[in-house]
């Protein structure tokens, strides 16, 4: 039962981590971190991401323009690019390391201590990846809220609002956090007891002298 529970925990943790990693990659490239709806022209919507700004018009469609300079970006967008790259890299390493530590993998069956350490390391990497993904998303959301409620701006000036990528990024970070915690818990759980009927080398060495003496008592 312990082995089944541990294997199921590992599978769920790895699946959540993989989902979070994919969502994190999508979040980084989506140009929908911020949305701007113009009340004066409802047929035109602006969106902003980490890499480009897009305008959506009913007649023309979507037109996007990449940012000209990295240094010209606001501070939150510059740091968010770096942190999202770091999150995706840590997530990939965490998935790779955790994969080699799964019980269902036949490689290294006799090195259970090494596989347990790989699971712990993979869980830590995935947990760190989740935190690194949540920081830029929450930072951009915080700056958006501050600018939205800024009293120094005239009311007629349009305000940026939350884009779909922010909610996707929060989901990605939570999946990575939960997946890393599950893998770490599975690695720290008690190993399954030995199955009856399977004897170790030490057991066979203890039983062999008894069989040679024709007795069942190993002390004879």
């Amino acid at each position: 039962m312990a082995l089944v529970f541990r294997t199921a925990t590992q599978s769920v943790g790895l699946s959540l981590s993989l989902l979070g990693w994919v969502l994190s990659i999508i979040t980084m490239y989506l140009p929908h971190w911020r949305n701007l709806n113009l009340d004066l022209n409802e047929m035109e919507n602006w969106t902003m991401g980490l890499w480009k700004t897009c305008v959506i018009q009913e007649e023309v469609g979507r037109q996007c323009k990449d940012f000209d300079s990295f240094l010209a970006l606001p501070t939150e967008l510059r740091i968010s690019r770096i942190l999202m790259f770091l999150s995706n890299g840590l997530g990939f390493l965490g998935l790779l390391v955790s994969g080699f530590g799964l019980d269902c993998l036949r490689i290294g069956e006799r090195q259970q201590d090494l596989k347990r350490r790989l699971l712990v390391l993979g869980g830590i990497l995935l947990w760190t990846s989740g935190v690194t993904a949540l920081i830029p998303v929450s930072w951009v959301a915080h700056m958006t809220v501050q600018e939205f409620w800024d009293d120094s701006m005239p009311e007629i000036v349009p305000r940026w609002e939350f884009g779909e990528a922010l909610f996707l990024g929060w989901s990605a970070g939570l999946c990575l956090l939960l997946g890393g915690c599950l893998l770490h818990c599975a690695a720290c759980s008690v190993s399954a007891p030995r199955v009856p009927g399977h004897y170790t080398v030490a057991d066979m060495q203890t039983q062999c002298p008894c069989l040679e003496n024709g007795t069942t008592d190993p002390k004879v």
Side-chain angles (χ1 to χ4, degrees), residues 114-173:
L114 176 61
K115 298 185 73 171
R116 184 182 64 84
R117 292 180 181 179
L118 288 176
L119 271 183
V120 172
L121 177 59
I124 294 175
L125 288 173
L126 291 169
W127 191 88
T128 308
S129 174
V131 174
T132 312
L134 288 174
I135 290 176
V137 175
S138 301
W139 190 5
V140 172
H142 173 70
M143 296 301 297
T144 303
V145 172
Q146 278 193 332
E147 294 175 3
F148 186 87
W149 296 108
D150 189 2
D151 296 334
S152 62
M153 295 180 61
E155 294 184 358
I156 195 174
V157 176
R159 312 293 176 97
W160 289 102
E161 299 180 4
F162 288 174
E164 294 82 355
L166 295 183
F167 300 98
L168 201 63
W170 280 318
S171 302

Side-chain angles (χ1 to χ4, degrees), residues 6 9-10 115-117 119-121 124 180-191:
R6 190 170 71 249
T9 304
Q10 292 175 4
K115 298 185 73 171
R116 184 182 64 84
R117 292 180 181 179
L119 271 183
V120 172
L121 177 59
I124 294 175
C181 291
L182 287 176
L183 289 173
H184 193 275
C185 293
C188 296
S189 62
V190 181
S191 58

Side-chain angles (χ1 to χ4, degrees), residues 71-215:
L71 298 178
L73 292 174
T75 304
E76 64 270 17
L77 295 185
R78 280 182 290 168
I79 302 300
S80 296
R81 278 192 187 184
I82 299 173
L83 290 178
M84 291 304 294
F85 265 119
L86 182 60
S87 174
N88 293 331
L90 291 174
F92 177 76
L93 289 178
L95 289 172
L96 189 63
V97 171
S98 301
F100 285 107
L102 296 177
D103 289 339
C104 58
L105 193 66
R106 307 293 294 181
I107 301 176
E109 286 183 336
R110 297 182 180 180
Q111 299 178 342
Q112 292 298 322
D113 187 59
L114 176 61
K115 298 185 73 171
R116 184 182 64 84
R117 292 180 181 179
L118 288 176
L119 271 183
V120 172
L121 177 59
I124 294 175
L125 288 173
L126 291 169
W127 191 88
T128 308
S129 174
V131 174
T132 312
L134 288 174
I135 290 176
V137 175
S138 301
W139 190 5
V140 172
H142 173 70
M143 296 301 297
T144 303
V145 172
Q146 278 193 332
E147 294 175 3
F148 186 87
W149 296 108
D150 189 2
D151 296 334
S152 62
M153 295 180 61
E155 294 184 358
I156 195 174
V157 176
R159 312 293 176 97
W160 289 102
E161 299 180 4
F162 288 174
E164 294 82 355
L166 295 183
F167 300 98
L168 201 63
W170 280 318
S171 302
L174 292 177
C175 286
L176 286 167
L177 281 176
L178 184 57
C181 291
L182 287 176
L183 289 173
H184 193 275
C185 293
C188 296
S189 62
V190 181
S191 58
R194 188 177 58 190
V195 180
H198 292 74
Y199 299 96
T200 61
V201 177
D203 294 334
M204 296 300 295
Q205 291 177 351
T206 305
Q207 295 294 335
C208 286
C210 304
L211 297 176
E212 293 176 358
N213 296 333
T215 63

Side-chain angles (χ1 to χ4, degrees), residues 36-56:
L36 183 66
N37 296 324
L38 301 178
D39 295 335
L40 299 179
N41 187 1
E42 297 181 355
M43 300 176 61
E44 182 177 288
N45 294 326
W46 289 78
T47 63
M48 177 188 295
L50 299 181
W51 308 95
K52 55 188 175 182
T53 302
C54 298
V55 56
I56 305 173

